[in-house]
Amino acid sequence: MHPLLLQLLFPLLLITSFLSVKVELSLGQDNEQYADCGEDINCGGVGGIGYPFWGVNRANYCGPPGLEVKCFDNTPMINMSNINYRILKMNSIASSVTVARQDYWETICPLTYVNTNINFSLFSYTSEVTNQTFYYGCNTSVPGLTSSSQVCSTNNGNITVSYATQSPPSDPVANGACKNGVIVPVFRTAVVALEANRMTLGEAVDGGSELDLEIDDDQCNRCVESGGKCGLNTTNGGFSCFCHDQAHATICNTTSLGRQ
């Protein structure tokens, strides 16, 4: 090739080569949302915490508001009505999560007496769960209550702790027999074991309770089956299916599928 022609073509060849490399790199990279929401939350030894939860290493577009997970002392936790709950187990197949109240973890003497109050727009109790009610500062004998061997220390001195696995004949707090009552959901199997003295009160509470996730399983399943990752449309608050190429409203298109 003539030296002068080569000199004239060199800048064009250089630009073409640069664009070719840039396109190849672009094609080799996944959509950032797809990559972020494909990761499970990394905190402690509890595995499989993915959609609809977000937080820690999962961006806020990986799940709806109210389902943020934070990592405290290497323990994944969610907060509802100013109560922290430890995540003990995630069941992605059944779309359920097992949680336990942090203020009752390894103790039955919380700092404040607050009933469990979950967000029913996001969760519901499974049929495997029932209420365990604690009563504090009760009179010496209250029908329907079982006295615990544990005593809680407060600023006003020590108080007794009693509990009921079944609803007592009348509300001990309303009739003045006890100062405070707190409802803590537990597994029905734990109550049976507690009544048969096969489990301690602390073990029953630390076993937590199971919550169903109020999400559209079919919608997310269709997205995953098309090769996508489930997430949130931060513009309208609806569902998004994050694919290799970009976000789609429902499922990944054929272009996305071709890059699996």
Side-chain angles (χ1 to χ4, degrees):
M1 183 178 291
H2 194 279
L4 180 59
L5 181 59
L6 181 61
Q7 186 177 1
L8 292 173
L9 290 176
F10 180 75
L12 180 60
L13 293 172
L14 186 62
I15 293 173
T16 303
S17 176
F18 173 77
L19 291 175
S20 176
V21 171
K22 186 175 182 180
V23 169
E24 288 180 5
L25 288 174
S26 177
L27 290 173
Q29 293 177 344
D30 282 331
N31 171 35
E32 182 180 3
Q33 294 168 318
Y34 175 90
D36 286 347
C37 300
E39 297 289 333
D40 287 339
I41 288 175
N42 181 19
C43 175
V46 183
I49 304 177
Y51 182 81
F53 294 104
W54 58 276
V56 192
N57 54 299
R58 284 173 59 84
N60 63 350
Y61 47 72
C62 294
L67 291 175
E68 180 183 9
V69 175
K70 294 186 178 180
C71 195
F72 294 113
D73 294 328
N74 213 31
T75 301
M77 294 192 194
I78 56 175
N79 185 280
M80 289 183 284
S81 300
N82 297 318
I83 298 176
N84 284 325
Y85 295 82
R86 302 169 71 101
I87 296 180
L88 305 180
K89 180 182 178 182
M90 176 78 185
N91 188 336
S92 300
I93 297 175
S95 293
S96 67
V97 61
T98 301
V99 300
R101 282 180 56 159
Q102 177 63 16
D103 56 343
Y104 271 86
W105 186 252
E106 297 183 343
T107 182
I108 57 173
C109 299
L111 296 177
T112 56
Y113 305 114
V114 182
N115 281 329
T116 304
N117 185 18
I118 67 171
N119 186 337
F120 284 101
S121 67
L122 300 173
F123 302 97
S124 62
Y125 290 112
T126 70
S127 60
E128 303 300 318
V129 173
T130 188
N131 286 332
Q132 170 75 71
T133 307
F134 291 91
Y135 293 97
Y136 298 88
C138 300
N139 298 332
T140 54
S141 178
V142 179
L145 302 190
T146 302
S147 296
S148 168
S149 59
Q150 188 167 349
V151 175
C152 298
S153 299
T154 69
N155 294 332
N156 298 321
N158 294 336
I159 60 172
T160 60
V161 183
S162 302
Y163 64 94
T165 55
Q166 306 291 333
S167 297
S170 62
D171 186 343
V173 177
N175 62 29
C178 301
K179 292 182 179 179
N180 296 285
V182 179
I183 296 173
V184 180
V186 297
F187 281 101
R188 293 183 184 276
T189 52
V191 170
V192 172
L194 179 63
E195 292 175 335
N197 294 318
R198 298 195 309 269
M199 180 179 287
T200 66
L201 189 58
E203 288 172 338
V205 175
D206 287 350
S209 59
E210 187 178 32
L211 303 175
D212 279 331
L213 291 160
E214 296 297 308
I215 59 173
D216 190 335
D217 290 326
D218 291 337
Q219 187 179 48
C220 183
N221 289 339
R222 288 194 298 270
C223 170
V224 172
E225 288 169 0
S226 73
K229 307 297 180 183
C230 304
L232 175 74
N233 184 324
T234 55
T235 301
N236 61 23
F239 179 81
S240 268
C241 184
F242 299 131
C243 307
H244 285 285
D245 58 345
Q246 63 182 40
H248 294 270
T250 54
I251 62 173
C252 300
N253 59 26
T254 54
T255 303
S256 302
L257 288 171
R259 294 209 40 237
Q260 292 188 72

